Amino acid sequence: APLLFIIIGAVSYWTTSLFGENARLVAHSHIVLEKLASLEARVQALITGQRGYILTGNENLLEPYHKGMQAIRKILAELGALTVNDPRQQQRLKLLSPLLEERIAVAKETVRVRRTVGFEAAQRLVLTGRGDRLLENLRNVIQEMKDAERSLLQQREAQAMATALYTKAMIVFGGLAALVLMTTAIVRIRHELTAREQAEEALQRSHNELESRVQTRTADLANVNEQLRQEIGERMRAEDRVRNQL
């Protein structure tokens, strides 16, 4: 029984730890997906700010452009740390990083030309289509990263679900095993108590019978002694009578 409890406890601990690790990996994949979505949104904000400034020349419209530029590099660093144990995602990041830097450089150049030369010169740069091609390429890489992480997420969720079910099964099995062992132990204890009571009763009966026999034997011996005493007395009296006659 102790060995069974040790095995159940060890397996339960292992499955619980495994479930915790799978849950952590599921949460990790969600964080990666959120970072990728945030990166895509920041890129779009940068481009929106760039295009709005080119069209209007309003410096206030460059606020999302500046914020997007700062956030993009930060998110890239975070993604690098989050995917450090995933060689394929790291390889995609190596493709994505220069594309982003080049797209940022294009945005900077068009903003500079709009500010220093004018709208038409900046428009000619936009119409070359270089920025759009870079945007399409980096979006493709981001989508690849999303697809890969979603696939990994599905695997991890399936593993987490299987581990959760296995953990529940072990808990139920452990509870049933404990119940069976406790029931068996209670039945055995009751059986032993009953056997002990029966043995004590039998011993008491034997003691009582022995005591009764001793008392009976003692009474018999007393009767015999009394008879002998009476016979001896009568014999002595008879001898006295004989001596008196002589």
Side-chain angles (χ1 to χ4, degrees), residues 149-159:
E149 201 62 38
R150 287 193 184 101
S151 176
L152 191 59
L153 175 60
Q154 289 178 351
Q155 296 175 18
R156 288 171 173 174
E157 286 177 336
Q159 290 173 352

Side-chain angles (χ1 to χ4, degrees), residues 25-90:
L25 292 174
V26 168
H28 181 273
S29 289
H30 280 294
I31 293 172
V32 172
L33 288 169
E34 288 172 5
K35 292 297 180 182
L36 288 170
S38 179
L39 177 62
E40 201 166 18
R42 291 298 184 176
V43 169
Q44 188 58 50
L46 180 145
I47 293 170
T48 300
Q50 168 213 343
R51 289 175 176 172
Y53 175 72
I54 290 172
L55 289 172
T56 65
N58 185 349
E59 291 285 342
N60 292 330
L61 295 178
L62 288 176
E63 183 179 357
Y65 163 84
H66 291 301
K67 288 183 177 179
M69 194 179 301
Q70 295 172 359
I72 285 169
R73 294 191 174 100
K74 180 183 177 183
I75 295 171
L76 271 178
E78 291 172 345
L79 283 170
L82 287 168
T83 60
V84 68
N85 294 321
D86 190 335
R88 293 182 180 179
Q89 292 290 56
Q90 286 282 302

